């Protein structure tokens, strides 16, 4: 078996006995109760579990948006749980992209300009046009959000997250506001990003069918991982039975 150091470097994330408690005393909420998890580089991982089971809390800690109470979370060999706020900001800027359920686009900016908000401040961005081509919106560059469907707006949000060429893409309910056909198209785009750029993708979802397109399926219950399944053959998004 590989020693711990080698394992940390081969993994995108190595999580050990991670806990998160919100609040104190009688009102304390134990959102994570000792999570152990490995996520390989270049994987698609799907987090499933009921509302309130701790999925977003884990994603926020791995994404550098929140801090753990105890335990360790490594990004490669870097210990996120020892980083101060400035280091976490740098980690987020250089390595991480986020996609949320609601697209958070600027309504007064075109698709291209929404993506440029990010490419202007990133170190090694791709061109906004290239990012929009990657998500299939090469013909919608100059449309405003109100002129785009929900699925198209989510694809702009994905282009914006991907344009800075992050190592990891975190997606919190990315298809939650979409019908099944549109949701599947958005998942196809996430799969394209993973396959084209090698980006590690973590997806939180209520749609259990999404698990079929993942390499690793992590089932959450009550702040802990109930089980992890590995798919030998992940399905293409369009093959998923919704
Ligand atoms: P999920 O993503 O699986 O729906 P969350 O990680 O959002 O679950 O929440 C896990 C638990 O932590 C829930 O009981 C939730 O109410 C609680 N929680 C999440 N964020 C906070 C917060 N900022 N303050 C207090 N409690 C929180």
């Amino acid at each position: 078996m590989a020693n711990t150091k080698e394992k940390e470097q081969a993994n995108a994330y190595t999580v050990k006995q991670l806990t998160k408690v919100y609040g104190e005393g009688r009102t304390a909420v134990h959102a994570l109760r000792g999570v152990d998890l490995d996520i390989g580089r270049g994987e698609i991982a799907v987090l499933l579990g009921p509302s309130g089971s701790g999925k977003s809390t884990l994603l926020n800690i791995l994404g550098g948006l929140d801090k753990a109470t105890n335990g360790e979370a490594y990004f490669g060999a870097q210990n996120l749980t020892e980083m101060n706020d400035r280091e976490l900001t740098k980690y987020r800027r250089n390595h991480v992209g986020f996609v949320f359920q609601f697209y958070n686009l600027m309504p007064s900016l075109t698709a291209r300009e929404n993506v440029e908000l990010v490419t202007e401040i990133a170190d090694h961005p791709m061109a906004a046009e290239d990012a929009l081509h990657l998500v299939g919106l090469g013909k919608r560059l100059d449309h405003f959000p109100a002129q785009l469907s929900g699925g198209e707006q989510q694809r702009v949000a994905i282009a914006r997250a991907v344009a800075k060429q992050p190592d990891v893409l975190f997606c919190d309910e990315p298809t939650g506001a979409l019908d099944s056909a549109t949701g599947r198209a958005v998942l196809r785009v996430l799969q394209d990003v993973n396959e084209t750029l090698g980006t590690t993708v973590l997806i939180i979802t209520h749609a259990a069918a999404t698990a079929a397109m993942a390499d690793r399926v992590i089932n959450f219950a009550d702040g802990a991982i109930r089980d992890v399944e590995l798919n030998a053959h992940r399905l293409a998004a369009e093959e998923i039975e919704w």
Side-chain angles (χ1 to χ4, degrees):
M1 192 179 132
N3 71 31
T4 308
K5 203 88 214 156
E6 284 169 10
K7 192 170 124 185
E8 282 162 10
Q9 284 166 2
N11 282 344
Y13 292 97
T14 309
V15 178
K16 297 175 187 171
Q17 282 302 300
L18 201 71
T19 65
K20 177 69 182 181
V21 184
Y22 292 106
E24 288 178 2
R26 284 180 52 199
T27 56
V29 176
H30 293 261
L32 296 178
R33 300 170 181 268
V35 167
D36 291 301
L37 180 65
D38 295 329
I39 294 173
R41 285 192 193 174
E43 281 186 0
I44 297 180
V46 165
L47 277 77
L48 295 174
S51 180
S53 60
K55 306 180 298 294
S56 301
T57 301
L58 178 64
L59 188 130
N60 288 343
I61 294 171
L62 297 184
L65 292 171
D66 200 356
K67 289 184 175 171
T69 305
N70 261 308
E72 294 171 346
Y74 291 87
F75 169 67
Q78 296 179 55
N79 190 347
L80 297 176
T81 37
E82 283 182 350
M83 288 187 186
N84 60 31
D85 288 344
R86 201 174 50 82
E87 290 165 331
L88 283 174
T89 302
K90 196 169 153 204
Y91 158 70
R92 283 199 309 273
R93 187 186 309 139
N94 292 337
H95 299 291
V96 179
F98 291 96
V99 175
F100 297 103
Q101 177 173 359
F102 300 104
Y103 329 117
N104 303 317
L105 301 177
M106 298 287 288
S108 60
L109 300 180
T110 63
R112 184 206 313 259
E113 289 165 345
N114 267 284
V115 177
E116 282 171 349
L117 282 181
V118 170
T119 56
E120 280 166 9
I121 57 168
D123 279 343
H124 306 289
M126 63 172 87
E129 291 81 1
D130 292 344
L132 286 159
H133 274 287
L134 182 68
V135 302
L137 289 180
K139 297 208 167 88
R140 299 278 190 283
L141 300 175
D142 298 314
H143 284 55
F144 290 93
Q147 299 170 317
L148 298 170
S149 70
E152 288 171 336
Q153 291 182 56
Q154 187 61 300
R155 286 194 267 157
V156 176
I158 295 171
R160 180 181 56 187
V162 162
K164 67 176 183 181
Q165 311 218 52
D167 298 301
V168 188
L169 195 56
F170 289 99
C171 310
D172 198 342
E173 297 284 358
T175 61
L178 303 173
D179 64 72
S180 59
T182 313
R184 217 184 267 130
V186 163
L187 294 176
R188 175 73 252 172
V189 168
L190 294 175
Q191 212 163 35
D192 286 344
V193 167
N194 169 261
E195 286 167 6
T196 311
L197 304 176
T199 315
T200 305
V201 179
L202 266 76
I203 305 171
I204 290 182
T205 181
H206 273 95
T210 306
M213 67 171 267
D215 298 291
R216 190 179 300 262
V217 183
I218 302 151
N219 287 293
F220 255 80
D222 199 20
I225 292 177
R226 205 178 50 197
D227 61 64
V228 177
E229 299 160 60
L230 298 177
N231 285 335
H233 301 288
R234 65 186 203 193
L235 293 185
E238 50 276 18
E239 295 174 294
I240 294 174
E241 299 283 344
W242 206 276

